[in-house]
Amino acid sequence: LLRWDKVLKVVSRGSKIVVDNTMDKDDEDWMRVDGERIVHEERLATLDDFPSLMTRSDDEEVEELLWEEEEVLHVEKAYWPREMNSMDFRGAGGSMCVGKAYTICDTVPLAKKEGYENNVLERHEGPFSEMRSELGLQSDSMRFRVKLDYALLDEDEESAVATSPPPLHLRTLTICRETLDGYWPNP
């Protein structure tokens, strides 16, 4: 692993959307959360997000934030399903929330079946070519997250078969410190 010296300023937001609020009277197991999804967005900050905090080390204001393509691609890599549903928190999905801590996980199957993104059980059924997992802990107005990105090595990907998959290797480890009150955390 190589250390990245640049600190990225990222804005992270989550919301709940309702996709189905009708209960089937014949389905005893249907719960309100089955008709809801959690949607998470993460993007690089702009000057509009926190203009007073966007200064260079010499205290001169920055007119525009310019992010390199590598930084944009790093932040765009999702560590969660596009829409998390209640099934993502049951069983093999790797997502869990207990108190002020959580884990989330998203995977890419080695052999992609059509429509796997929409089928929770198939999405979490291995073997995988990629796996991204995040652990988050919250205390007061601070949140600490660790993101782990695993993938096949390039040379393994071409020869990989589902019957004897090669191991995944840690590609990146990202550590995030966040405040929940709208201010950047102090270094």
Side-chain angles (χ1 to χ4, degrees):
L1 291 175
L2 299 174
R3 184 171 183 246
W4 203 352
D5 289 329
K6 188 168 186 179
V7 174
L8 301 180
K9 293 185 177 177
V10 176
V11 175
S12 177
R13 289 195 173 93
S15 61
K16 178 174 67 172
I17 60 172
V18 176
V19 294
D20 180 14
N21 61 1
T22 60
M23 183 177 132
D24 183 358
K25 292 180 182 179
D26 297 331
D27 188 0
E28 301 172 352
D29 297 329
W30 193 90
M31 298 174 60
R32 179 184 50 83
V33 294
D34 294 329
E36 299 173 341
R37 303 291 181 267
I38 297 172
V39 179
H40 185 82
E41 169 197 18
E42 199 168 73
R43 63 176 173 76
L44 288 163
T46 66
L47 285 176
D48 294 334
D49 293 315
F50 303 99
S52 64
L53 298 174
M54 298 299 190
T55 57
R56 292 197 303 237
S57 57
D58 58 5
D59 289 334
E60 185 177 325
E61 280 201 31
V62 177
E63 291 182 22
E64 180 182 4
L65 284 177
L66 299 175
W67 299 108
E68 296 176 16
E69 183 179 355
E70 183 181 24
E71 297 160 347
V72 172
L73 293 173
H74 183 72
V75 172
E76 286 178 350
K77 187 172 293 209
Y79 285 72
W80 49 85
R82 192 172 58 81
E83 290 183 2
M84 293 184 75
N85 65 37
S86 60
M87 291 300 292
D88 284 313
F89 293 93
R90 300 177 192 155
S95 299
M96 179 181 283
C97 189
V98 177
K100 293 188 176 194
Y102 70 89
T103 59
I104 53 177
C105 182
D106 199 21
T107 57
V108 176
L110 185 59
K112 296 179 187 84
K113 298 175 188 171
E114 190 171 323
Y116 80 92
E117 302 96 344
N118 300 323
N119 185 321
V120 174
L121 297 176
E122 283 187 19
R123 192 170 67 228
H124 299 299
E125 188 70 33
F128 306 115
S129 63
E130 294 181 30
M131 182 180 83
R132 291 176 295 280
S133 185
E134 178 177 313
L135 166 70
L137 303 169
Q138 181 178 329
S139 176
D140 299 321
S141 65
M142 289 289 294
R143 182 168 57 193
F144 181 78
R145 297 188 294 156
V146 177
K147 296 178 169 192
L148 303 165
D149 180 9
Y150 295 93
L152 294 176
L153 297 175
D154 290 339
E155 58 268 17
D156 290 342
E157 193 165 359
E158 294 173 11
S159 62
V161 292
T163 54
S164 60
L168 297 175
H169 297 270
L170 184 61
R171 183 168 39 193
T172 60
L173 176 130
T174 305
I175 298 172
C176 309
R177 288 184 320 123
E178 302 173 310
T179 61
L180 304 175
D181 56 9
Y183 296 100
W184 297 114
N186 291 327

